[in-house]
């Protein structure tokens, strides 16, 4: 019997019991739609996290002093190294994989201007900081080396909107810890980064000005640098470890400082997102399993109801293989029909979640192919045993069946 003939017979048999067929298809539809929606939400979340963390600077290498505290008392010396500007000069001179450098000091306080105030963070940096973090000047200029002790600043959109609503901030003065800073530039908006951090709520000022005038210290809190490209990040980390160890005359495996990259943060967050996606998909997959069991149940009932039909077909020459394929085709047809409708419904549900709940979703071709493949496998797996039972019926007993 040809596949086309088997398909035609299966289609007619399913139409005889439309409500039963509809309920069987519905189980598969719900399962597939749930799986696709859950995977889309999981993939969308991972993609959103990658974009947000990437907006912090994809190739950033961050160096911190590994200061420790014992009973609330900060310990230095053997436990940690003090970062200095000379460390940056050594990195710039000897590094092959790092292309931009900036020391970092920061302080959080109220910024006051034009009678208004806003709690924000002033960060002391070198001009390379813009390249490292991917910021761009929208209006005005960036301070340069000759302004290293000048009381000038560049502000983000959030600060500008709250301190200078409806007014051009260029040339205005911000008082930070009662120290006046003249606004010479504004930054292009970058929006919210990972963990809800507002990247526009920032005030950048010359490093030495913040270090000495605001904080009254000679410390460098951290060092930011940028690797040449994504592939060079780990090489840059190893290189920075070697240079810093040599600078402080420490063994290569010391733990006096730590170096962190955005890729490490991304891997940590992505592993959590992957686990969440697996859990959500597994829960949704239970619906698909229930739908498969429903197909098996319906096929068992169908075999029982059509015992005389099976006997008659075998009596006029149908082989056991033909009977097996007939019922198997019915099971696969139910499963694939439900799978196709489920894919459409799952895609629509995913976009509905994105539109109404404003959640990030990402429907991948892989998830659709896998869902459709699972539907086919479900039809074969759960339809095989009832079809095999039908194929093994004795023609004489089948014809006598009432």
């Amino acid at each position: 019997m040809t596949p086309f003939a088997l398909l035609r017979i299966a289609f007619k048999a399913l139409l005889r019991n439309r409500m039963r067929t509809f309920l069987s298809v519905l189980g598969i539809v719900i399962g597939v739609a749930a799986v696709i929606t859950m995977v889309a939400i999981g993939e969308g979340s991972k993609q959103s996290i990658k974009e947000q963390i990437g907006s912090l600077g994809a190739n950033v290498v961050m160096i911190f002093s590994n200061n420790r505290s014992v009973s609330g008392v900060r310990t230095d010396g053997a436990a940690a190294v003090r970062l200095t500007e000379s460390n940056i000069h050594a990195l710039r001179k000897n590094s092959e994989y790092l292309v931009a450098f900036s020391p970092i000091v920061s302080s959080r306080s109220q910024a006051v201007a034009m009678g208004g105030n806003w709690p924000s963070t002033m960060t002391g940096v070198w001009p390379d900081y813009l390249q490292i973090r991917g910021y761009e000047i929208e209006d005005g200029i960036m301070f340069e080396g000759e302004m290293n002790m000048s009381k000038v600043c560049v502000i983000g959109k959030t600060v500008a909107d709250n301190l200078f609503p409806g007014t051009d901030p260029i040339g205005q003065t911000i008082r930070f810890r009662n120290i006046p800073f003249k606004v010479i530039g504004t930054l292009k908006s970058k929006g919210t980064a990972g963990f809800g951090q507002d990247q526009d709520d920032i005030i950048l000022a010359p490093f030495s000005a913040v270090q000495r005038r605001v904080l009254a210290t000679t410390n460098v809190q951290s060092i930011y640098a940028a690797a040449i490209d994504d592939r060079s990040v780990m090489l840059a980390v190893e290189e920075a470890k070697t240079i810093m160890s040599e600078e402080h005359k420490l063994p290569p495996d010391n733990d006096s400082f730590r170096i962190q990259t955005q890729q490490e943060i991304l891997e940590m967050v992505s592993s959590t997102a992957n686990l969440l996606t697996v859990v959500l998909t597994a829960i949704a997959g239970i619906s698909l399993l229930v739908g498969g069991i429903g197909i098996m149940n319906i096929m068992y009932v169908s075999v029982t109801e059509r015992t005389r039909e099976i006997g008659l077909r075998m009596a006029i020459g149908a082989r056991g293989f033909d009977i097996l394929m007939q019922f198997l085709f019915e099971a696969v047809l139910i499963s694939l029909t439900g799978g196709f409708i489920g894919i459409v419904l799952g895609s629509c549900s995913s976009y509905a979640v994105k539109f109404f709940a404003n959640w990030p979703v990402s429907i991948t071709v892989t998830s659709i192919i896998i869902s459709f493949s699972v539907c086919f496998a479900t039809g074969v797996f759960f339809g095989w045993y009832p079809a095999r039972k039908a194929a093994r019926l004795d023609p004489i007993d089948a014809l006598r069946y009432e």
Side-chain angles (χ1 to χ4, degrees):
M1 192 176 295
T2 64
F4 181 77
L6 288 170
L7 187 62
R8 181 169 50 83
I9 294 171
F11 188 71
K12 286 183 177 180
L14 293 175
L15 286 180
R16 282 197 221 112
N17 297 281
R18 287 182 176 83
M19 181 55 68
R20 192 165 66 190
T21 301
F22 169 75
L23 294 175
S24 300
V25 170
L26 184 62
I28 299 297
V29 168
I30 294 172
V32 172
V35 169
I36 288 182
T37 304
M38 292 300 103
V39 172
I41 292 174
E43 289 297 322
S45 299
K46 286 193 293 182
Q47 186 174 330
S48 176
I49 290 169
K50 288 180 180 179
E51 290 174 355
Q52 290 180 0
I53 293 179
S55 68
L56 295 172
N59 305 329
V60 176
V61 176
M62 298 165 284
I63 304 173
F64 302 93
S65 177
N66 205 15
N67 290 327
R68 300 170 182 175
S69 61
V70 179
S71 300
V73 179
R74 195 169 183 171
T75 62
D76 293 309
V81 298
R82 292 185 59 164
L83 302 178
T84 64
E85 290 186 58
S86 64
N87 295 151
I88 305 177
H89 295 308
L91 288 167
R92 175 173 283 166
K93 179 181 178 181
N94 302 309
S95 176
E96 179 182 350
Y97 299 103
L98 295 172
V99 293
F101 307 86
S102 175
I104 304 291
V105 288
S106 63
S107 174
R108 186 162 184 85
S109 184
Q110 291 289 125
V112 181
M114 298 178 66
N117 65 85
W118 178 253
S120 188
T121 300
M122 176 171 282
T123 305
V125 298
W126 285 358
D128 278 358
Y129 185 78
L130 296 188
Q131 177 185 346
I132 295 169
R133 286 289 311 278
Y135 281 106
E136 296 180 28
I137 295 292
E138 183 174 52
D139 194 15
I141 62 172
M142 179 63 179
F143 48 82
E144 299 297 336
E146 62 269 15
M147 299 179 176
N148 204 22
M149 282 294 292
S150 301
K151 291 182 288 184
V152 295
C153 67
V154 174
I155 61 176
K157 188 176 186 302
T158 299
V159 177
D161 290 344
N162 284 278
L163 292 183
F164 308 101
T167 306
D168 184 4
I170 304 299
Q172 303 286 347
T173 299
I174 292 176
R175 299 190 69 85
F176 192 88
R177 291 193 172 183
N178 291 323
I179 301 172
F181 284 83
K182 182 181 178 181
V183 180
I184 62 172
T186 57
L187 300 169
K188 288 184 179 179
S189 177
K190 289 187 69 177
T192 303
F195 312 108
Q197 177 185 351
D198 184 0
Q199 297 184 92
D200 299 325
D201 186 8
I202 187 172
I203 304 172
L204 299 181
F207 171 76
S208 296
V210 177
Q211 183 191 45
R212 297 174 189 177
R213 295 179 186 271
V214 177
L215 296 175
T217 182
T218 58
N219 291 338
V220 175
Q221 295 173 355
S222 59
I223 297 172
Y224 276 36
I228 296 173
D229 52 41
D230 294 344
R231 294 172 295 180
S232 304
V233 172
M234 297 315 298
L235 292 172
V237 169
E238 294 302 319
E239 184 180 59
K241 284 181 181 178
T242 301
I243 295 172
M244 290 291 292
S245 297
E246 291 175 353
E247 271 285 290
H248 293 275
K249 297 180 173 55
L250 297 169
D253 58 346
N254 75 92
D255 62 347
S256 299
F257 56 88
R258 56 190 173 89
I259 301 178
Q260 192 173 18
T261 67
Q262 299 291 14
Q263 290 183 353
E264 293 173 355
I265 300 172
L266 181 61
E267 289 173 2
M268 177 184 67
V269 177
S270 293
S271 64
T272 303
N274 285 334
L275 179 60
L276 179 62
T277 302
V278 170
V279 172
L280 290 174
T281 305
I283 293 172
I286 294 174
S287 301
L288 197 56
L289 177 63
V290 171
I293 294 173
I295 289 177
M296 178 178 279
N297 183 44
I298 291 302
M299 295 311 299
Y300 263 122
V301 172
S302 182
V303 169
T304 303
E305 288 181 346
R306 295 159 62 189
T307 301
R308 286 178 59 83
E309 175 191 332
I310 294 169
L312 182 60
R313 288 182 181 276
M314 297 181 77
I316 60 175
R319 298 168 299 170
F321 178 78
D322 295 326
I323 301 299
L324 183 141
M325 293 305 296
Q326 175 187 338
F327 282 90
L328 197 57
F329 261 62
E330 291 181 22
V332 172
L333 187 59
I334 291 174
S335 189
L336 291 184
T337 301
F340 179 77
I341 299 173
I343 289 171
V344 175
L345 182 61
S347 301
C348 294
S349 300
S350 299
Y351 285 113
V353 168
K354 181 178 181 179
F355 182 78
F356 292 106
N358 200 27
W359 288 1
V361 297
S362 177
I363 301 174
T364 62
V365 176
T366 303
S367 66
I368 293 176
I369 293 174
I370 291 175
S371 297
F372 209 72
S373 300
V374 168
C375 284
F376 179 79
T378 300
V380 173
F381 180 80
F382 288 100
W384 174 263
Y385 191 77
R388 182 168 169 267
K389 177 185 176 183
R392 290 190 171 185
L393 286 175
D394 182 86
I396 304 300
D397 293 336
L399 287 170
R400 291 175 177 172
Y401 183 82
E402 293 295 337

